[in-house]
Amino acid sequence: MSKLKQMTVFMYVVQLGSITKAAEKLDVSKSVVSQHLKQLESELAVTLLKRTTRKQILTTAGEHFYQQCCTMHELAEQAWQDAQQLQLTPQGLIKITAPHALMDHLVLPALHEVFHAYPDVQLELISHDGRSDLMQEGIDIAIRVGESKTSNLKQKRIGDFRDVLCGSVATINNHQADIAALEVDNIRYVANHWQEKSIHHSFSCKNSRGDKSGSNRNGSPRFELNFKTHHKANTLPTCLSMLEQGFGVGIIPDFIFAKHKHTLAELLPDHQLNKVNVYALHSYQAAVPIGVTMAIKAIAKRLG
């Protein structure tokens, strides 16, 4: 580090023409500048400047060394500018992971909206319902459903959604009597791969203001239903397709259900499941790259 400082001091002495002006530029005393020059020439064992009280002249070695000092300084300045530019304009690789249910219908549209005007941004997207190691896999952002365990990662709640218990219009119509009696044993359940064999759903009335009393949907705002998994799909698109084709009922996020209302219907249109919180995680401890910040804000906006 001292060598770089000495080279910078030498460059300014040559550029400005005197030790006094170099000291003013660097906001140090003349004695400090003189000491740096003396130490530089001593360590190099080369005379760089011939100085008198009125002028200074570069030696041949000094001229060559001065040009290299200028090159070093230009590279350093460019490095600073490039690093700062990354905080002004998004560019480079941004690696993002999100659950299958959120990637295609939420994350992708948000990223396209925010980055389509920035051709220097490169996206690497990973649809994954597990919990990736952000540091080991070089992931910039992880979008996760539900809060993660405490770690050294930065975690921020960016919104929420509700799952909708639904099935094809024909399926719902065929089970009207079962639905009215809340007898669901005859209704086949199509589970996502992350759901267990036994499915438990807790509902609240859409018009309820928080009263948690009661156990049925006639006059009480909350009640519960239990299902047994009959079919299972390892991806959300497959689960969605099975629901549309009448294999049974299952849950899909509300923002996906809204796009399929012509083929799907809610099992209990007057009731709703609990909200599911969505979080954005990253491992940046200091200044967060602007591309990462922009991506998180865009996804949060989409959730909103």
Side-chain angles (χ1 to χ4, degrees), residues 149-161:
K149 294 180 180 179
T150 303
S151 67
N152 60 346
L153 301 175
K154 300 295 183 180
Q155 180 173 205
K156 179 182 180 181
R157 180 184 175 278
I158 59 173
D160 56 59
F161 65 91

Side-chain angles (χ1 to χ4, degrees), residues 283-297:
S283 59
Y284 294 95
Q285 299 299 316
V288 182
I290 189 169
V292 171
T293 300
M294 289 173 64
I296 292 175
K297 287 183 177 179

Side-chain angles (χ1 to χ4, degrees), residues 10-11 13-15 37 41 47-51 55-67 70:
F10 174 71
M11 182 194 73
V13 169
V14 176
Q15 279 185 354
L37 287 177
E41 290 184 321
T47 299
L48 302 173
L49 274 174
K50 294 180 180 179
R51 298 184 296 277
K55 64 179 180 178
Q56 59 186 29
I57 301 174
L58 280 170
T59 65
T60 300
E63 177 66 37
H64 183 67
F65 189 69
Y66 168 68
Q67 296 299 331
C70 291

Side-chain angles (χ1 to χ4, degrees), residues 35 54 124 147 236 246:
Q35 182 62 32
R54 294 186 178 182
E124 183 175 341
E147 190 170 5
L236 179 67

Side-chain angles (χ1 to χ4, degrees), residues 3 61 86 95 109 131 154-155 203 209 241 257 270 298:
K3 289 181 179 180
L86 289 174
K95 194 172 182 179
R131 299 291 171 112
K154 300 295 183 180
Q155 180 173 205
F203 295 86
R209 295 186 178 275
S241 182
F257 174 79
D270 295 328

Side-chain angles (χ1 to χ4, degrees), residues 234-278:
N234 71 330
T235 68
L236 179 67
T238 302
C239 182
L240 176 61
S241 182
M242 292 180 73
L243 294 178
E244 290 180 319
Q245 294 182 45
F247 280 83
V249 301
I251 57 171
I252 58 173
D254 52 9
F255 52 85
I256 297 178
F257 174 79
K259 298 179 180 180
H260 294 266
K261 285 186 175 181
H262 60 292
T263 57
L264 297 175
E266 293 186 63
L267 184 74
L268 300 168
D270 295 328
H271 292 76
Q272 60 191 6
L273 295 167
N274 295 330
K275 288 183 177 179
V276 181
N277 290 323
V278 180

